[in-house]
Amino acid sequence: MDNLESTVISTRIRLARNLADYPFPHRLRTREQAREIVSLLHLPLSEIDSFRCIYVDETEREELEMLKENYLISQALIDKCGVSAVYINQDENISIMVNEEDHVREQYYIKGFQILKGYEYLSGIDDVIGDCVRFAYDEKWGYLTACPTNLGTGLRASVMLFLPAITRRPDLFSSLRERLRRKGMVVRGVYGEGSDADGYMYQISNEITLGFSEQTILQEVGEAVYTVVETEVRARREMYERDSAAVRDACGRAYGILTNCALLPAKEFLQLMSEFKIGVSLGLYNVDKMSDLDDLIVGMRDSNISRFSKETLDGRARDQYRAECVQARLKELLRGEPDA
């Protein structure tokens, strides 16, 4: 398993846009005006893929949480429930949030480190939308956005990383974060600004877009990711060399509980899976793809369990269902016996 695969979870490309003929979302006067903006996107998106339109104020809270847990919408979109909506494609890797902070937030989510592919694909979608609506654009300042940090290209390139070894060394984490800040990068939690880094997962992205071309932003984010990956892999090796018995013990205990427990609460599941992933990244356990474990983590979140089980489960029943699914799936994924 190479260093990128053991460390990079996913790539998300986002473009922020506003329509020239409407007030920005925080100044929209009526619900009807907000709905007009939503309807304007129907035609261009129908030319690209089969999208379903979801109005936030007409959607159950549980489904909204599921969409957020799958990185398709933001908490800010949920908070704007009176005016907001989202278009989601069939594969659920493209979402177009409408009337969040900006009129249009185009997002493309892709597994692994595929920053150039992600941008090229989303840029094509942006072109189709731009042919049907008039974006707010200034020759000097670029795309006009509600927040100054998005002014310019409106491009946010974000990469989700698994960083257990760096997290366990606060001095290393602090110095790395400062190095990234000086290069115009920001480190956030799983769901963006203000969220926690659950399961040692962090997003690294560009902080500003003004004064930089799209190509420069993508290149600099890519270079930052390679720097972080190299730092993390080196820190993992050092952690293992310092106390291999402790690392093997933690990973083995995690695997033992995951494959034998009868009840598995969400918080404990994430903690144990993170420990098990460390063992996989160090070659103590063999699976074909780390992304299979990442998919399992997402699939076993509370809202997704209700979706997959096709029934509303209470806390205890949900924990039991999670334990049964995780046991079966891990035994499918593990190849051979753990290394001695």
Side-chain angles (χ1 to χ4, degrees), residues 126-330:
D126 186 59
D127 289 342
V128 173
I129 296 174
D131 286 339
C132 293
V133 301
R134 191 163 67 95
F135 288 139
Y137 184 84
D138 181 86
E139 289 297 328
K140 179 180 180 181
W141 300 108
Y143 291 100
L144 304 180
T145 56
C147 179
T149 59
N150 293 314
L151 190 66
T153 63
L155 168 64
R156 183 66 56 86
S158 176
V159 179
M160 186 83 74
L161 299 163
F162 175 59
L163 306 176
I166 291 176
T167 303
R168 295 178 181 190
R169 291 181 53 184
D171 57 333
L172 180 60
F173 184 87
S174 179
S175 64
L176 181 63
R177 195 170 200 162
E178 177 59 23
R179 284 170 57 194
L180 293 173
R181 188 194 65 79
R182 291 198 298 268
K183 293 183 177 181
M185 303 294 135
V186 63
V187 181
R188 295 189 171 99
V190 176
Y191 297 110
E193 188 171 1
S195 64
D196 296 328
D198 296 332
Y200 306 121
M201 292 185 288
Y202 300 84
Q203 293 186 60
I204 292 179
S205 64
N206 57 301
E207 189 166 22
I208 57 176
T209 71
L210 182 64
F212 300 94
S213 68
E214 289 87 344
Q215 291 72 25
T216 298
I217 291 171
L218 296 173
Q219 180 180 342
E220 292 188 350
V221 172
E223 290 173 354
V225 168
Y226 279 113
T227 296
V228 174
V229 168
E230 290 173 1
T231 304
E232 168 64 25
V233 171
R234 185 168 57 250
R236 283 181 204 165
R237 290 171 183 157
E238 292 171 355
M239 177 178 69
Y240 188 71
E241 290 169 359
R242 281 196 305 271
D243 196 343
S244 62
V247 174
R248 288 176 179 274
D249 183 70
C251 296
R253 287 175 184 270
Y255 180 73
I257 296 172
L258 288 168
T259 54
N260 289 279
C261 63
L263 296 171
L264 190 54
K267 186 174 182 180
E268 182 182 11
F269 164 67
L270 183 57
Q271 178 184 353
L272 293 170
M273 281 295 294
S274 300
E275 295 297 331
F276 178 62
K277 282 181 63 179
I278 294 173
V280 173
S281 72
L282 291 168
L284 305 181
Y285 294 83
N286 298 312
V287 299
D288 288 328
K289 295 183 295 183
M290 184 73 87
S291 60
D292 289 335
L293 300 180
D294 296 326
D295 290 344
L296 181 60
I297 290 173
V298 173
M300 290 295 100
R301 288 171 178 161
D302 285 348
S303 60
N304 281 331
I305 283 180
S306 296
R307 181 188 188 189
F308 296 144
S309 64
K310 298 182 180 178
E311 59 180 313
T312 301
L313 301 174
D314 62 23
R316 186 179 179 86
R318 189 170 55 224
D319 293 347
Q320 183 176 351
Y321 181 89
R322 181 184 291 110
E324 293 169 354
C325 290
V326 169
Q327 285 181 37
R329 186 59 178 147
L330 282 182

